[in-house]
């Protein structure tokens, strides 16, 4: 009998919500999404060390400042994971802009363009990438500009009910909640719930469809900045979930960068020790050794 997951796929695009791309293939999702929390969790697995090392080496070759190298390594790491995921899925990968830029329109635009450049640098067309942006007023304005440039965006942490018919991501606690949304455009689902849906073979019904949506009598609502922020303020749940999500992603982003900093500093310490070993301080001579992949020679005088 057909699994619940396969039944859902008849009506809804399934998006895998994970950075652990080794586990994605078994579910056959169309798209996938990542965020700092998912990537941080994945980096705890030693099998992804090569992606971390690659990101650090890339950053060291591009910039001299440690601070800038760490930031670039973090961006490159997101792209590295995204690149590997795109080898598995037929659709799009969604990567998230640094949560610290949630209230910075220009900063969000700059970071989004940079991420797209990193993907295109390794041969991934921007048509296969979506930039995930927090649903603040500033984030929405950034998305409007980016979309006009042909950079696809999706808005995350959107909890305020703006009469939306498309559902990209909700925090699902069980498969029953997912089944109640059968038929919406997109559903972003974590691996543990994908497994449960795959193992269940009960029959489900389509709950949402374009036809029923078109029959909806709700009128379109247009917001300017003042009305958007006021309506957001009037919805405690939406306000709390938005700010809570931003804080959480920002914290995990800082933790991810701290991990990269520690690894970068560890490499520099090892290089310093190597220099000390290869130079005989009692003899005025030199001995070649490799520094950042280049044959280097110091003369002790």
């Amino acid at each position: 009998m057909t699994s619940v997951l396969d039944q859902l796929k008849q009506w809804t695009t399934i998006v895998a919500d994970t950075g652990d791309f080794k586990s994605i293939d078994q579910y056959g999702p169309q798209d996938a999404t990542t965020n700092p929390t998912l990537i941080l969790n994945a980096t705890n697995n030693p099998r992804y060390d090569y992606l971390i090392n690659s990101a650090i080496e890339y950053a060291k070759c591009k910039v001299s400042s440690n601070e800038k190298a760490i930031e670039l390594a973090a961006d490159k790491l997101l792209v590295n994971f995204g690149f590997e995921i795109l080898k598995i899925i037929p659709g799009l990968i969604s990567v998230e802009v640094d949560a610290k830029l949630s209230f910075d329109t220009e900063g969000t635009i700059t970071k989004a363009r940079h991420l797209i450049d990193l993907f295109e640098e390794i041969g991934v067309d921007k048509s296969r990438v979506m930039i995930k942006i927090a649903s603040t007023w500033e984030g929405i304005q950034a998305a409007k500009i980016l979309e006009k440039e042909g950079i696809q965006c999706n808005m995350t942490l959107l909890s305020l009910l703006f009469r939306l018919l498309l559902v990209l991501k909700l925090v699902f606690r069980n498969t029953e909640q997912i089944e109640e949304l059968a038929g919406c455009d997109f559903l972003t689902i974590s691996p543990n719930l994908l497994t449960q849906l795959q193992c269940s073979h009960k029959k489900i019904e389509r709950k949402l469809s374009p036809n029923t949506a078109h029959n909806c009598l709700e009128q379109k609502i247009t917001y300017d900045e003042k009305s958007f922020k006021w309506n957001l303020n009037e919805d405690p749940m939406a306000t709390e979930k938005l700010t809570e999500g931003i804080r959480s992603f920002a914290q995990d982003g800082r933790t991810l960068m701290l991990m990269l900093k520690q690894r970068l500093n560890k490499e520099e310490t090892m290089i310093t020790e190597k220099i000390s070993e290869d130079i005989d301080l009692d003899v005025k001579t030199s001995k070649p050794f490799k520094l950042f992949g280049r044959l280097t020679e110091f003369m002790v005088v």
Side-chain angles (χ1 to χ4, degrees):
M1 188 175 178
T2 306
S3 70
V4 172
L5 180 58
D6 286 334
Q7 292 177 68
L8 279 172
K9 289 179 182 179
Q10 298 176 61
W11 316 303
T12 296
T13 298
I14 301 300
V15 183
D17 193 24
T18 181
D20 184 9
F21 57 83
K22 298 291 187 181
S23 67
I24 289 178
D25 196 33
Q26 60 182 305
Y27 306 115
Q30 175 70 20
D31 300 336
T33 184
T34 64
N35 60 49
T37 303
L38 298 175
I39 298 300
L40 182 62
N41 291 338
T43 57
N44 290 325
N45 191 323
R47 66 182 176 183
Y48 295 127
D49 278 353
Y50 73 100
L51 295 179
I52 302 173
N53 295 335
S54 172
I56 292 174
E57 288 302 316
Y58 176 89
K60 289 195 304 186
C61 291
K62 293 291 184 179
V63 295
S64 56
S65 164
N66 259 21
E67 185 176 344
K68 290 182 179 179
I70 294 166
E71 182 178 357
L72 179 55
D75 292 341
K76 182 61 174 173
L77 184 59
L78 294 177
V79 172
N80 284 352
F81 270 91
F83 181 66
E84 294 298 327
I85 292 172
L86 285 173
K87 294 178 182 178
I88 301 169
I89 62 172
L92 308 178
I93 181 65
S94 177
V95 293
E96 188 160 333
V97 166
D98 190 339
K100 293 185 298 183
L101 300 172
S102 296
F103 303 98
D104 182 349
T105 297
E106 288 302 319
T108 295
I109 292 171
T110 300
K111 180 65 74 173
R113 290 169 177 163
H114 174 59
L115 291 171
I116 291 296
D117 286 344
L118 289 176
F119 271 108
E120 292 186 333
E121 193 177 81
I122 54 177
V124 177
D125 189 80
K126 65 181 179 181
S127 63
R128 294 203 67 194
V129 181
M130 291 191 80
I131 300 297
K132 192 190 300 185
I133 301 171
S135 298
T136 58
W137 176 260
E138 294 80 5
I140 294 169
Q141 304 317 301
K144 288 169 63 177
I145 294 171
L146 291 168
E147 287 278 350
K148 290 178 181 178
E149 297 178 3
I151 297 175
Q152 303 174 87
C153 302
N154 69 53
M155 309 310 295
T156 188
L157 303 174
L158 180 59
S159 302
L160 182 59
L161 183 59
F162 287 127
R163 310 298 190 264
L164 292 179
L165 302 177
L166 180 150
V167 177
L168 179 61
K169 179 175 181 180
L170 294 172
V171 181
F172 297 116
R173 293 182 173 81
N174 53 61
T175 57
E176 287 73 20
Q177 293 177 332
I178 297 172
E179 292 164 15
E180 288 300 315
L181 290 172
C184 72
D185 298 297
F186 296 88
L187 284 175
T188 303
I189 308 172
S190 63
N192 63 317
L193 291 177
L194 285 171
T195 299
Q196 294 178 41
L197 293 168
Q198 194 174 54
C199 293
S200 175
H201 293 83
K202 67 181 180 181
K203 184 175 177 56
I204 63 170
E205 297 180 357
R206 184 171 189 169
K207 301 298 179 71
L208 302 172
S209 72
N211 291 334
T212 56
H214 289 153
N215 294 330
C216 179
L217 299 178
E218 294 283 355
Q219 293 184 344
K220 180 181 178 180
I221 301 175
T222 302
Y223 292 91
D224 59 14
E225 182 175 2
K226 291 178 181 179
S227 59
F228 176 90
K229 291 183 175 179
W230 176 253
N231 278 275
L232 183 63
N233 177 73
E234 288 293 279
D235 189 329
M237 184 275 291
T239 301
E240 291 167 10
K241 289 302 178 183
L242 174 63
T243 55
E244 177 186 292
I246 290 172
R247 286 194 300 271
S248 177
F249 286 150
Q251 177 57 51
D252 286 337
R254 287 192 292 269
T255 302
L256 187 64
M257 293 184 75
L258 178 60
M259 178 273 291
L260 291 169
K261 180 179 180 180
Q262 291 171 340
R263 291 208 180 200
L264 183 62
N265 289 341
K266 182 179 179 180
E267 287 193 9
E268 290 181 343
T269 300
M270 292 173 64
I271 290 171
T272 301
E273 292 175 349
K274 178 64 176 173
I275 293 174
S276 299
E277 291 174 2
D278 287 348
I279 297 178
D280 186 348
L281 297 180
D282 294 325
V283 181
K284 293 183 179 180
T285 185
S286 65
K287 186 177 182 181
F289 61 93
K290 280 195 173 184
L291 178 61
F292 299 138
R294 298 178 180 178
L295 195 61
T296 307
E297 200 171 291
F298 281 100
M299 176 66 73
V300 181
V301 294

